[in-house]
């Protein structure tokens, strides 16, 4: 049961992380073109700063980014609970 | 009067202990059937309340929603009792021994299952998307379990006819060992993946509903 709990938690965490990265990658490539794509791989999103920049540049609050971030946190909590005692 | 209430208490405690002990012992079976119960129960309620009562009645041959509210938990409880009872009859070691002792029956059964299974899947209405994945998973579970029971019957009959083992192949033994090593983590991963995907969708829908998200952030990125 612990294994399944950890699998679920880590999959949610990794899934959330991948979607956050795709969001970051797309935003960077839209703003800076090919250079943005390369920079997206080199730089880290800057978890809190990036959504604020996105909000300022696009004029839209990045709800999707925070939603998948929240799901990732839920995954981390699940993985943490099932990892207690390991 | 006190004696009667004490004996009732002891009986209830024993019954509780039986269920708790079984849940603790067969956690994967409990989790699998618990997840499928949740999926079926919530799915039925979603069809009834959100998709429409008429569609529900049409889909389920004019049966009332209360029929499903009562029968779904009972059905899954019975399934859980049967599955845990069968599981209690074997350990991994004794089951492996059984596989070692009946190579011909096992090979024939595996070939029959593999050839028959695609027809079973294609004959069922699986839906689409993640629902298709979960429905196929449920069918695979039931199909494998039913075939496992048939295999046990064949093995029992075979052991009555042939008292001692006639064939023993090293390659077969190694294959069984490999299957016994691969299947448990693979099963856990697939089940975990399905639950994680469903949880992801539920959480996503919940958050987007609470914050009235219309997907405008994503649309901005796609409509440049």
């Amino acid at each position: 049961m612990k294994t399944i709990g950890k699998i679920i938690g880590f999959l949610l965490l990794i899934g959330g992380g991948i979607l956050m990265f795709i969001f970051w990658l797309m935003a960077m490539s839209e703003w800076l073109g090919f250079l943005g794509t390369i920079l997206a791989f080199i730089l880290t999103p800057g978890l809190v700063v990036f959504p604020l920049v996105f909000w300022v540049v696009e004029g839209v609050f990045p709800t999707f980014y925070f939603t998948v971030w929240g799901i990732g946190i839920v995954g981390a909590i699940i993985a943490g609970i099932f990892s207690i005692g390991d | 009067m006190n004696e009667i209430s004490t004996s009732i208490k002891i009986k209830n405690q024993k019954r509780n202990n039986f269920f708790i002990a079984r849940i603790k012992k067969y956690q994967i079976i409990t989790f699998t059937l618990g997840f499928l119960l949740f999926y079926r129960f919530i799915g039925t309620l979603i069809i009834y309340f959100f998709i429409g009562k008429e569609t529900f009645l049409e889909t389920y041959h004019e049966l009332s929603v209360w029929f499903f509210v009562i029968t779904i938990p009972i059905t899954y409880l019975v399934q859980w009792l049967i599955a845990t009872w069968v599981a209690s009859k074997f350990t991994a070691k004794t089951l492996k021994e059984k596989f070692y002792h009946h190579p011909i029956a096992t090979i024939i059964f595996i070939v029959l299952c593999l050839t028959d299974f695609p027809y079973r899947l294609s004959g069922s209405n699986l839906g689409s998307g993640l629902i298709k994945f979960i429905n196929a998973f449920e069918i695979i579970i039931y199909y494998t379990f039913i075939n496992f029971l048939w295999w046990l019957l064949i093995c029992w009959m075979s052991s009555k006819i042939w008292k001692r083992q006639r064939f023993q192949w090293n390659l077969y033994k190694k294959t069984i060992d490999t299957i016994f090593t691969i299947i448990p983590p693979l099963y856990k991963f697939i089940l975990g993946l399905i639950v994680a995907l469903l949880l992801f969708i539920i959480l996503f829908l919940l958050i987007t509903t609470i914050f009235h998200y219309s997907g405008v952030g994503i649309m901005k990125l796609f409509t440049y």
Side-chain angles (χ1 to χ4, degrees):
Chain A
M1 189 60 203
K2 270 192 163 190
T3 319
I4 290 188
K6 276 192 260 182
I7 289 170
I8 295 166
F10 281 119
L11 282 174
L12 284 176
L13 185 62
I14 293 164
I18 289 170
L19 285 173
M20 279 168 82
F21 181 75
I22 290 170
F23 192 88
W24 152 257
L25 181 74
M26 282 183 68
M28 286 292 278
S29 65
E30 292 296 344
W31 293 338
L32 303 168
F34 182 66
L35 179 72
T37 311
I38 294 166
L39 281 177
F41 279 99
I42 297 166
L43 304 170
T44 51
L47 290 174
V48 183
V49 179
F50 166 66
L52 288 175
V53 173
F54 184 88
W55 196 3
V56 171
V57 174
E58 300 289 346
V60 176
F61 184 75
T63 315
F64 177 81
Y65 187 84
F66 282 105
T67 305
V68 287
W69 191 2
I71 293 169
I73 291 168
V74 172
I77 292 166
I78 292 171
I81 289 167
F82 283 98
S83 300
I84 292 169
D86 282 356
Chain B
M1 193 67 184
N2 274 342
E3 279 176 13
I4 294 166
S5 67
T6 316
S7 73
I8 289 168
K9 268 184 188 172
I10 291 166
K11 269 185 184 175
N12 281 339
Q13 207 173 351
K14 273 185 180 173
R15 205 171 293 151
N16 283 339
N17 287 345
F18 165 80
F19 278 104
I20 290 164
R22 282 223 158 167
I23 288 168
K24 279 183 180 171
K25 198 174 178 187
Y26 305 108
Q27 292 182 3
I28 304 295
I29 295 173
T30 308
F31 185 73
T32 306
L33 287 167
F35 166 67
L36 291 173
L37 164 68
F38 170 82
Y39 168 71
R40 281 275 159 241
F41 196 78
I42 300 296
T44 310
L45 291 181
I46 285 172
I47 292 174
Y48 187 75
F49 288 110
F50 293 101
I51 294 174
K53 288 171 190 173
E54 281 157 19
T55 318
F56 179 87
L57 291 171
E58 207 176 288
T59 314
Y60 296 110
H61 313 289
E62 303 291 322
L63 285 166
S64 157
V65 70
W66 289 108
F67 173 79
F68 292 100
V69 168
I70 295 163
T71 51
I72 290 173
I74 292 170
T75 312
Y76 279 93
L77 178 69
V78 172
Q79 284 174 11
W80 177 78
L81 285 170
I82 294 168
T84 49
W85 178 75
V86 172
S88 70
K89 299 290 166 199
F90 301 98
T91 61
K93 203 182 169 190
T94 53
L95 193 63
K96 214 186 229 185
E97 287 292 320
K98 221 171 181 49
F99 273 101
Y100 287 156
H101 279 96
H102 304 280
I104 294 172
T106 307
I107 291 166
I108 292 170
F109 238 89
I110 288 172
V111 171
L112 283 175
C113 281
L114 289 177
T115 49
D116 182 48
F117 187 65
Y119 293 104
R120 300 268 173 182
L121 267 184
S122 63
S124 331
N125 182 18
L126 295 174
S128 62
L130 183 64
I131 289 171
K132 188 176 190 174
F133 204 40
I134 300 173
N135 285 340
F137 173 76
E138 193 173 18
I139 291 169
I140 291 168
I141 297 290
Y142 291 145
Y143 187 75
T144 314
F145 184 71
I146 299 292
N147 275 295
F148 174 70
L149 295 181
W150 278 110
W151 175 80
L152 283 177
L153 181 71
I154 300 289
C155 289
W156 177 77
M157 282 161 66
S158 153
S159 64
K160 293 286 163 198
I161 298 165
W162 294 287
K163 295 289 176 195
R164 62 189 185 87
Q165 195 182 346
R166 293 181 181 216
F167 303 102
Q168 204 169 22
W169 300 304
N170 272 338
L171 182 66
Y172 172 78
K173 243 183 166 181
K174 274 182 187 171
T175 314
I176 293 296
D177 286 342
T178 315
I179 289 170
F180 265 77
T181 319
I182 290 171
I183 292 288
L186 184 71
Y187 178 78
K188 283 176 191 172
F189 180 76
I190 292 169
L191 182 61
L193 182 70
I194 292 170
V195 176
L197 281 170
L198 192 69
L199 209 59
F200 196 99
I201 291 168
I202 290 170
L203 286 171
F204 193 85
L205 288 175
L206 212 66
I207 294 170
T208 50
T209 312
I210 290 167
F211 293 104
H212 305 290
Y213 179 54
S214 58
V216 73
I218 288 286
M219 295 301 279
K220 272 266 176 192
L221 289 175
F222 278 106
T223 52
Y224 252 90

